[in-house]
Coordinates of all heavy atoms in Angstrom, one line a residue:
M1338 N 10.9 -39.9 41.9 CA 12.0 -39.6 41.0 C 13.0 -40.8 41.0 O 13.3 -41.4 42.0 CB 12.8 -38.4 41.5 CG 13.9 -38.0 40.7 SD 14.6 -36.4 41.2 CE 15.0 -35.7 39.6
A1339 N 13.5 -41.3 39.9 CA 14.4 -42.4 39.8 C 15.8 -41.9 40.1 O 16.2 -40.8 40.0 CB 14.4 -42.9 38.3
Y1340 N 16.5 -42.9 40.7 CA 17.8 -42.7 41.1 C 18.8 -42.9 39.9 O 18.5 -43.8 39.0 CB 18.3 -43.7 42.2 CG 17.6 -43.5 43.5 CD1 16.5 -44.3 43.9 CD2 17.9 -42.4 44.4 CE1 15.9 -44.1 45.1 CE2 17.3 -42.2 45.6 CZ 16.3 -43.1 45.9 OH 15.7 -42.8 47.1
D1341 N 19.8 -42.1 39.8 CA 20.7 -42.2 38.7 C 21.4 -43.5 38.7 O 21.7 -44.1 39.7 CB 21.8 -41.0 38.7 CG 22.4 -40.8 37.3 OD1 21.7 -41.1 36.3 OD2 23.5 -40.3 37.3
M1342 N 21.7 -44.1 37.6 CA 22.3 -45.4 37.4 C 21.5 -46.6 38.0 O 22.0 -47.5 38.5 CB 23.7 -45.3 38.0 CG 24.7 -44.4 37.4 SD 24.9 -44.5 35.7 CE 26.0 -45.8 35.6
S1343 N 20.1 -46.5 37.9 CA 19.3 -47.5 38.3 C 18.0 -47.6 37.4 O 17.8 -46.7 36.6 CB 18.8 -47.2 39.8 OG 18.0 -46.1 39.9
G1344 N 17.2 -48.7 37.6 CA 16.1 -48.8 36.8 C 15.2 -50.0 37.2 O 15.5 -50.6 38.2
T1345 N 14.3 -50.3 36.5 CA 13.4 -51.4 36.8 C 13.1 -52.3 35.5 O 13.2 -51.7 34.4 CB 12.0 -50.9 37.3 OG1 11.4 -50.1 36.3 CG2 12.2 -50.2 38.5
L1346 N 12.8 -53.6 35.7 CA 12.6 -54.4 34.5 C 11.5 -55.4 35.0 O 11.6 -55.9 36.1 CB 13.9 -55.2 34.2 CG 13.9 -56.0 32.9 CD1 13.7 -55.2 31.8 CD2 15.2 -56.8 32.9
G1347 N 10.5 -55.6 34.2 CA 9.4 -56.5 34.5 C 9.0 -57.2 33.3 O 9.2 -56.9 32.1
K1348 N 8.1 -58.2 33.5 CA 7.5 -59.0 32.4 C 6.7 -58.2 31.6 O 5.9 -57.4 31.9 CB 6.6 -60.1 33.1 CG 6.1 -61.1 32.1 CD 7.0 -62.2 31.9 CE 6.4 -63.3 31.1 NZ 7.1 -63.6 29.9
N1349 N 6.8 -58.4 30.2 CA 6.1 -57.6 29.3 C 4.7 -58.4 29.1 O 4.6 -59.4 28.5 CB 6.8 -57.7 27.9 CG 6.1 -56.9 26.7 OD1 5.0 -56.3 26.9 ND2 6.7 -56.9 25.6
Q1350 N 3.7 -57.7 29.5 CA 2.3 -58.3 29.5 C 1.7 -58.3 28.1 O 0.8 -58.9 27.8 CB 1.4 -57.5 30.4 CG 1.9 -57.6 31.9 CD 1.9 -58.9 32.5 OE1 1.0 -59.8 32.2 NE2 2.9 -59.2 33.3
Y1351 N 2.3 -57.5 27.1 CA 1.8 -57.3 25.9 C 2.6 -58.2 24.8 O 2.3 -58.0 23.6 CB 1.7 -55.9 25.5 CG 1.0 -55.1 26.5 CD1 1.7 -54.3 27.4 CD2 -0.4 -55.1 26.5 CE1 0.9 -53.6 28.4 CE2 -1.2 -54.4 27.4 CZ -0.4 -53.7 28.4 OH -1.1 -53.0 29.3
Q1352 N 3.5 -59.0 25.2 CA 4.3 -59.8 24.2 C 3.4 -60.7 23.4 O 2.6 -61.5 24.0 CB 5.4 -60.6 24.9 CG 6.2 -61.3 23.9 CD 7.2 -62.2 24.6 OE1 7.1 -62.6 25.8 NE2 8.3 -62.6 23.9
K1353 N 3.4 -60.6 22.0 CA 2.6 -61.5 21.2 C 3.5 -62.5 20.4 O 2.9 -63.5 20.0 CB 1.8 -60.6 20.2 CG 0.9 -59.6 20.9 CD -0.4 -59.5 20.2 CE -1.3 -58.5 20.7 NZ -1.8 -58.6 22.1
N1354 N 4.8 -62.2 20.3 CA 5.6 -63.2 19.6 C 7.1 -63.1 20.1 O 7.4 -62.1 20.9 CB 5.6 -63.0 18.1 CG 5.9 -61.6 17.6 OD1 7.0 -61.1 17.9 ND2 5.1 -60.9 16.8
D1355 N 7.9 -64.0 19.6 CA 9.3 -64.0 20.2 C 10.1 -63.0 19.8 O 11.2 -62.7 20.4 CB 10.0 -65.4 19.7 CG 9.4 -66.6 20.4 OD1 8.7 -66.4 21.6 OD2 9.4 -67.7 19.9
S1356 N 9.8 -62.2 18.7 CA 10.6 -61.0 18.3 C 10.4 -59.8 19.2 O 11.3 -58.9 19.3 CB 10.3 -60.6 16.9 OG 9.0 -60.1 16.7
Q1357 N 9.3 -59.8 20.0 CA 9.0 -58.7 20.9 C 9.8 -59.1 22.2 O 9.9 -60.3 22.6 CB 7.6 -58.6 21.2 CG 6.8 -58.1 20.0 CD 5.3 -58.1 20.1 OE1 4.7 -58.9 20.7 NE2 4.7 -57.0 19.6
P1358 N 10.1 -58.1 23.1 CA 10.8 -58.4 24.3 C 10.0 -59.1 25.3 O 8.8 -58.8 25.4 CB 11.3 -57.0 24.7 CG 10.4 -56.1 24.1 CD 10.0 -56.7 22.8
S1359 N 10.6 -60.1 26.0 CA 9.8 -60.7 27.1 C 9.7 -59.9 28.3 O 8.8 -60.1 29.2 CB 10.4 -62.1 27.4 OG 11.8 -61.9 27.8
H1360 N 10.6 -58.9 28.5 CA 10.6 -58.0 29.6 C 10.9 -56.6 29.1 O 11.7 -56.5 28.2 CB 11.7 -58.4 30.7 CG 11.5 -59.8 31.3 ND1 11.6 -60.9 30.6 CD2 11.1 -60.1 32.5 CE1 11.4 -61.9 31.4 NE2 10.9 -61.5 32.5
T1361 N 10.3 -55.7 29.8 CA 10.6 -54.3 29.4 C 10.7 -53.5 30.7 O 10.4 -53.9 31.8 CB 9.4 -53.6 28.7 OG1 8.2 -53.7 29.4 CG2 9.2 -54.3 27.3
G1362 N 11.3 -52.2 30.6 CA 11.5 -51.4 31.8 C 12.1 -50.1 31.4 O 12.1 -49.7 30.2
K1363 N 12.5 -49.4 32.4 CA 13.2 -48.1 32.2 C 14.3 -47.9 33.2 O 14.3 -48.5 34.2 CB 12.2 -47.0 32.3 CG 11.3 -46.9 33.5 CD 10.2 -45.9 33.5 CE 9.4 -46.0 34.8 NZ 8.4 -44.9 34.8
C1364 N 15.2 -47.0 32.8 CA 16.3 -46.7 33.8 C 16.8 -45.3 33.5 O 16.5 -44.6 32.5 CB 17.5 -47.8 33.6 SG 18.2 -47.6 32.0
T1365 N 17.6 -44.8 34.4 CA 18.2 -43.4 34.3 C 19.7 -43.6 34.4 O 20.2 -44.2 35.3 CB 17.7 -42.5 35.4 OG1 16.3 -42.4 35.4 CG2 18.4 -41.2 35.2
I1366 N 20.5 -43.2 33.3 CA 21.9 -43.3 33.3 C 22.5 -41.9 33.0 O 22.1 -41.2 32.0 CB 22.4 -44.2 32.2 CG1 21.7 -45.7 32.4 CG2 23.9 -44.3 32.1 CD1 22.0 -46.6 31.4
N1367 N 23.4 -41.4 33.9 CA 23.9 -40.1 33.8 C 22.9 -39.0 33.6 O 23.0 -38.1 32.8 CB 24.9 -40.0 32.7 CG 26.1 -40.8 33.0 OD1 26.5 -41.0 34.2 ND2 26.8 -41.4 32.0
G1368 N 21.7 -39.2 34.3 CA 20.7 -38.2 34.2 C 19.8 -38.3 33.0 O 18.8 -37.5 32.8
E1369 N 20.0 -39.2 32.1 CA 19.2 -39.4 30.9 C 18.3 -40.6 31.0 O 18.8 -41.7 31.5 CB 20.1 -39.5 29.7 CG 19.4 -39.5 28.3 CD 20.4 -39.4 27.2 OE1 21.5 -39.4 27.4 OE2 19.9 -39.5 26.1
D1370 N 17.0 -40.5 30.6 CA 16.1 -41.6 30.7 C 16.2 -42.5 29.5 O 16.3 -42.0 28.4 CB 14.6 -41.1 30.8 CG 14.3 -40.3 32.1 OD1 15.0 -40.7 33.1 OD2 13.5 -39.4 32.1
F1371 N 16.2 -43.8 29.8 CA 16.2 -44.8 28.8 C 15.1 -45.9 29.0 O 14.7 -46.0 30.1 CB 17.5 -45.6 28.8 CG 18.7 -44.8 28.4 CD1 19.5 -44.0 29.3 CD2 19.3 -44.9 27.0 CE1 20.6 -43.3 28.8 CE2 20.2 -44.2 26.6 CZ 21.0 -43.4 27.6
R1372 N 14.8 -46.6 27.9 CA 13.8 -47.6 27.9 C 14.8 -48.9 27.8 O 15.8 -48.9 27.1 CB 12.9 -47.6 26.8 CG 11.9 -46.5 26.9 CD 10.8 -46.5 25.9 NE 9.9 -45.3 25.9 CZ 8.9 -45.2 26.7 NH1 8.7 -46.2 27.6 NH2 8.2 -44.2 26.7
I1373 N 14.3 -50.0 28.4 CA 15.0 -51.3 28.4 C 14.0 -52.3 27.7 O 13.0 -52.4 28.1 CB 15.4 -51.8 29.8 CG1 16.2 -50.7 30.6 CG2 16.3 -53.0 29.7 CD1 16.3 -51.0 32.0
A1374 N 14.6 -53.1 26.8 CA 14.0 -54.2 26.2 C 14.9 -55.4 26.5 O 16.0 -55.3 26.2 CB 13.7 -54.0 24.7
A1375 N 14.2 -56.6 27.0 CA 15.1 -57.7 27.3 C 14.3 -58.9 26.7 O 13.1 -59.1 26.8 CB 15.1 -57.8 28.9
W1376 N 15.2 -59.9 26.3 CA 14.8 -61.2 25.8 C 15.5 -62.2 26.6 O 16.7 -62.2 26.8 CB 15.1 -61.3 24.3 CG 14.4 -60.4 23.4 CD1 13.3 -60.7 22.6 CD2 14.7 -59.1 23.1 NE1 12.9 -59.7 21.9 CE2 13.7 -58.6 22.1 CE3 15.7 -58.2 23.5 CZ2 13.6 -57.3 21.6 CZ3 15.7 -56.8 23.0 CH2 14.7 -56.4 22.1
V1377 N 14.8 -63.3 27.0 CA 15.4 -64.4 27.7 C 16.0 -65.3 26.6 O 15.3 -65.7 25.6 CB 14.4 -65.2 28.5 CG1 15.1 -66.5 29.1 CG2 13.8 -64.3 29.6
K1378 N 17.3 -65.6 26.6 CA 18.0 -66.4 25.6 C 18.6 -67.6 26.3 O 18.8 -67.6 27.5 CB 19.1 -65.6 24.9 CG 18.7 -64.4 24.2 CD 18.0 -64.7 22.9 CE 17.6 -63.4 22.2 NZ 17.2 -63.7 20.8
Q1379 N 18.9 -68.7 25.5 CA 19.5 -69.9 26.1 C 21.0 -69.9 25.6 O 21.2 -69.8 24.4 CB 18.8 -71.1 25.6 CG 19.3 -72.4 26.1 CD 19.2 -72.6 27.7 OE1 18.1 -72.2 28.2 NE2 20.2 -73.0 28.3
G1380 N 21.8 -70.0 26.5 CA 23.3 -70.1 26.1 C 24.0 -71.4 26.6 O 23.3 -72.2 27.2
E1381 N 25.2 -71.5 26.4 CA 25.9 -72.8 26.8 C 25.8 -73.0 28.3 O 25.8 -74.1 28.8 CB 27.3 -72.8 26.3 CG 27.5 -72.9 24.8 CD 28.9 -72.9 24.4 OE1 29.9 -73.0 25.3 OE2 29.2 -72.8 23.2
D1382 N 25.9 -71.8 29.0 CA 25.9 -71.9 30.5 C 24.5 -71.7 31.2 O 24.4 -71.5 32.4 CB 26.8 -70.9 31.0 CG 28.3 -71.1 30.6 OD1 28.7 -72.2 30.5 OD2 29.1 -70.1 30.4
G1383 N 23.5 -71.7 30.3 CA 22.1 -71.5 30.9 C 21.4 -70.3 30.2 O 22.0 -69.7 29.2
K1384 N 20.3 -69.9 30.9 CA 19.6 -68.8 30.3 C 20.2 -67.4 30.8 O 20.9 -67.4 31.9 CB 18.1 -68.8 30.9 CG 17.4 -70.0 30.4 CD 15.9 -69.9 30.9 CE 15.1 -71.1 30.3 NZ 13.7 -71.1 30.7
F1385 N 20.0 -66.5 29.9 CA 20.5 -65.1 30.3 C 19.6 -64.0 29.5 O 18.7 -64.4 28.8 CB 21.9 -64.9 29.7 CG 22.1 -65.0 28.3 CD1 22.1 -63.9 27.4 CD2 22.2 -66.2 27.6 CE1 22.2 -63.9 26.1 CE2 22.4 -66.3 26.3 CZ 22.4 -65.1 25.5
F1386 N 19.7 -62.8 29.9 CA 19.0 -61.7 29.3 C 19.8 -61.1 28.3 O 21.0 -60.8 28.5 CB 18.6 -60.7 30.4 CG 17.4 -61.0 31.2 CD1 17.6 -61.2 32.6 CD2 16.1 -61.0 30.7 CE1 16.5 -61.5 33.4 CE2 15.1 -61.4 31.5 CZ 15.3 -61.6 32.9
A1387 N 19.2 -60.9 27.1 CA 19.9 -60.0 26.0 C 19.1 -58.7 26.1 O 17.9 -58.7 26.2 CB 19.7 -60.6 24.6
L1388 N 19.8 -57.6 26.3 CA 19.3 -56.3 26.5 C 19.4 -55.3 25.3 O 20.4 -55.4 24.7 CB 19.9 -55.6 27.8 CG 19.9 -56.5 29.1 CD1 20.7 -55.8 30.2 CD2 18.4 -56.6 29.5
K1389 N 18.5 -54.4 25.3 CA 18.6 -53.3 24.3 C 18.1 -52.1 25.0 O 17.1 -52.0 25.6 CB 17.7 -53.6 23.0 CG 17.8 -52.4 22.1 CD 16.9 -52.7 20.8 CE 17.0 -51.6 19.9 NZ 16.1 -51.8 18.7
F1390 N 19.0 -51.0 25.0 CA 18.6 -49.8 25.6 C 18.3 -48.8 24.5 O 19.0 -48.7 23.4 CB 19.8 -49.2 26.4 CG 20.1 -50.1 27.6 CD1 20.8 -51.2 27.5 CD2 19.6 -49.7 28.9 CE1 21.1 -52.0 28.7 CE2 19.8 -50.4 30.0 CZ 20.6 -51.5 29.9
S1391 N 17.3 -48.0 24.6 CA 17.0 -46.9 23.7 C 16.6 -45.6 24.5 O 16.0 -45.7 25.6 CB 15.8 -47.3 22.8 OG 14.7 -47.6 23.5
R1392 N 17.0 -44.4 24.0 CA 16.7 -43.2 24.6 C 15.2 -43.0 24.6 O 14.5 -43.3 23.7 CB 17.4 -42.1 23.9 CG 18.8 -42.0 24.0 CD 19.4 -40.8 23.5 NE 20.9 -40.7 23.8 CZ 21.9 -41.3 23.4 NH1 21.7 -42.1 22.4 NH2 23.0 -41.0 23.8
K1393 N 14.7 -42.6 25.7 CA 13.3 -42.4 25.9 C 12.7 -41.5 24.8 O 11.6 -41.8 24.3 CB 12.9 -41.9 27.3 CG 11.5 -42.0 27.7 CD 11.3 -41.7 29.1 CE 9.9 -41.9 29.5 NZ 9.7 -41.6 31.0
E1394 N 13.4 -40.5 24.4 CA 12.8 -39.5 23.4 C 12.9 -40.1 22.0 O 12.3 -39.6 21.1 CB 13.5 -38.2 23.5 CG 15.0 -38.1 23.1 CD 16.0 -38.4 24.2 OE1 15.5 -38.5 25.3 OE2 17.2 -38.4 23.9
D1395 N 13.6 -41.1 21.8 CA 13.7 -41.8 20.6 C 12.6 -42.8 20.4 O 12.5 -43.5 19.2 CB 15.1 -42.5 20.3 CG 16.2 -41.5 20.2 OD1 16.0 -40.3 19.9 OD2 17.4 -41.9 20.4
A1396 N 11.8 -43.1 21.4 CA 10.8 -44.1 21.3 C 9.8 -43.7 20.2 O 9.5 -42.5 20.0 CB 10.1 -44.3 22.6
P1397 N 9.3 -44.7 19.4 CA 8.3 -44.3 18.4 C 7.1 -43.8 19.1 O 6.6 -44.2 20.0 CB 8.0 -45.7 17.8 CG 8.5 -46.7 18.6 CD 9.6 -46.1 19.5
K1398 N 6.6 -42.7 18.5 CA 5.4 -42.1 19.0 C 4.3 -42.4 18.1 O 4.3 -42.4 16.9 CB 5.6 -40.5 19.1 CG 6.7 -40.1 20.1 CD 7.0 -38.6 20.0 CE 8.1 -38.3 20.9 NZ 8.5 -37.0 20.8
K1399 N 3.1 -42.6 18.8 CA 1.9 -42.9 18.0 C 1.4 -41.6 17.4 O 1.2 -40.5 18.1 CB 0.8 -43.5 18.9 CG 1.1 -44.8 19.5 CD 0.0 -45.4 20.3 CE 0.4 -46.7 20.8 NZ -0.6 -47.2 21.7
E1400 N 1.3 -41.5 16.1 CA 0.8 -40.4 15.5 C -0.7 -40.4 15.3 O -1.3 -41.4 15.1 CB 1.5 -40.2 14.0 CG 3.0 -40.0 14.1 CD 3.6 -39.9 12.8 OE1 2.9 -39.5 11.8 OE2 4.8 -40.1 12.6
A1401 N -1.2 -39.1 15.4 CA -2.7 -39.0 15.2 C -3.0 -39.4 13.8 O -2.3 -39.1 12.8 CB -3.1 -37.6 15.6
A1402 N -4.1 -40.0 13.6 CA -4.5 -40.4 12.2 C -4.7 -39.1 11.5 O -5.3 -38.2 11.9 CB -5.9 -41.2 12.3
E1403 N -4.3 -39.1 10.3 CA -4.3 -38.0 9.4 C -5.8 -37.9 8.9 O -6.3 -38.7 8.4 CB -3.3 -38.1 8.3 CG -3.3 -36.9 7.3 CD -2.3 -37.0 6.2 OE1 -1.2 -37.6 6.5 OE2 -2.6 -36.6 5.1
V1404 N -6.3 -36.7 9.1 CA -7.7 -36.4 8.6 C -7.5 -35.7 7.2 O -6.9 -34.7 7.1 CB -8.4 -35.5 9.6 CG1 -9.8 -35.2 9.0 CG2 -8.5 -36.2 11.0
T1405 N -8.2 -36.3 6.2 CA -8.1 -35.7 4.9 C -9.5 -35.1 4.7 O -10.5 -35.6 4.9 CB -7.8 -36.7 3.8 OG1 -8.8 -37.8 3.9 CG2 -6.4 -37.3 4.1
Q1406 N -9.4 -33.9 4.1 CA -10.6 -33.1 3.7 C -11.0 -33.5 2.3 O -10.2 -33.6 1.5 CB -10.4 -31.6 3.9 CG -10.0 -31.1 5.2 CD -11.3 -31.3 6.2 OE1 -12.4 -31.2 5.8 NE2 -11.0 -31.5 7.5
P1407 N -12.3 -33.6 2.0 CA -12.7 -33.9 0.7 C -12.4 -32.7 -0.2 O -12.5 -31.5 0.3 CB -14.2 -34.2 0.8 CG -14.7 -33.5 2.0 CD -13.4 -33.6 3.0
E1408 N -12.1 -32.9 -1.4 CA -11.9 -31.8 -2.4 C -13.2 -31.0 -2.5 O -14.3 -31.7 -2.8 CB -11.4 -32.3 -3.7 CG -9.9 -32.5 -3.7 CD -9.3 -32.7 -5.1 OE1 -9.7 -32.0 -6.0 OE2 -8.5 -33.7 -5.2
I1409 N -13.1 -29.8 -2.6 CA -14.3 -29.0 -2.8 C -14.3 -28.4 -4.2 O -13.3 -27.8 -4.6 CB -14.4 -27.8 -1.8 CG1 -14.4 -28.3 -0.4 CG2 -15.6 -26.8 -2.1 CD1 -14.4 -27.3 0.7
D1410 N -15.3 -28.7 -4.9 CA -15.4 -28.2 -6.3 C -16.2 -26.9 -6.3 O -17.4 -26.9 -5.9 CB -16.2 -29.2 -7.1 CG -16.1 -28.9 -8.6 OD1 -15.5 -27.9 -9.0 OD2 -16.7 -29.7 -9.4
D1411 N -15.5 -25.8 -6.5 CA -16.1 -24.5 -6.5 C -17.0 -24.2 -7.7 O -17.6 -23.2 -7.7 CB -15.0 -23.4 -6.3 CG -14.5 -23.3 -5.0 OD1 -15.0 -24.0 -4.0 OD2 -13.3 -22.9 -4.8
E1412 N -16.9 -25.0 -8.7 CA -17.7 -24.7 -9.9 C -19.3 -25.1 -9.6 O -19.5 -26.2 -9.1 CB -17.3 -25.6 -11.1 CG -16.4 -24.8 -12.0 CD -16.0 -25.7 -13.2 OE1 -16.9 -26.0 -13.9 OE2 -14.8 -25.9 -13.3
I1413 N -20.1 -24.2 -10.0 CA -21.5 -24.5 -9.9 C -22.0 -25.2 -11.2 O -21.7 -24.7 -12.3 CB -22.3 -23.2 -9.7 CG1 -21.8 -22.5 -8.4 CG2 -23.8 -23.5 -9.6 CD1 -22.4 -21.3 -8.1
P1414 N -22.6 -26.4 -11.0 CA -22.9 -27.2 -12.3 C -24.1 -26.7 -13.1 O -24.4 -27.4 -14.1 CB -23.2 -28.6 -11.7 CG -23.7 -28.3 -10.3 CD -23.0 -27.0 -9.9
F1415 N -24.7 -25.5 -12.8 CA -25.8 -25.1 -13.6 C -25.6 -23.7 -14.0 O -24.8 -22.9 -13.6 CB -27.2 -25.3 -12.9 CG -27.1 -24.8 -11.5 CD1 -27.6 -23.4 -11.2 CD2 -26.9 -25.6 -10.4 CE1 -27.6 -23.0 -10.0 CE2 -26.8 -25.0 -9.2 CZ -27.2 -23.8 -8.9

């Protein structure tokens, strides 16, 4: 069980381009679970992390592929 007001952050092994976060993780704040996305940025004083937090239940869910049934023609052609 995660401790409140704490979390983890690690290297994103699936990053394919710069728009995707270089690091990802999760945390618990006030009993609510969040996902963390982080990008390494360069500033005047050096490198820093830019962070984005999103609620765990708001994460996009993979939907099952929609199965379509072929139309059935009830008319007998003869």
Side-chain angles (χ1 to χ4, degrees):
M1338 179 175 218
Y1340 293 103
D1341 201 26
M1342 303 300 286
S1343 66
T1345 60
L1346 189 64
K1348 185 87 170 127
N1349 181 2
Q1350 300 297 322
Y1351 305 102
Q1352 181 186 22
K1353 300 221 187 297
N1354 59 53
D1355 290 339
S1356 67
Q1357 295 174 320
S1359 59
H1360 294 75
T1361 58
K1363 55 186 175 179
C1364 65
T1365 303
I1366 302 172
N1367 294 329
E1369 190 172 354
D1370 292 332
F1371 288 86
R1372 295 188 184 277
I1373 308 168
W1376 293 261
V1377 176
K1378 301 286 185 172
Q1379 182 66 43
E1381 291 180 12
D1382 296 327
K1384 292 183 178 182
F1385 65 94
F1386 281 114
L1388 303 174
K1389 179 180 179 183
F1390 293 83
S1391 58
R1392 288 186 170 80
K1393 195 170 184 179
E1394 67 270 1
D1395 291 345
K1398 296 178 183 169
K1399 293 181 181 178
E1400 295 182 20
E1403 185 178 319
V1404 178
T1405 58
Q1406 297 291 332
E1408 274 192 43
I1409 298 174
D1410 187 3
D1411 287 341
E1412 263 185 58
I1413 301 174
F1415 50 88

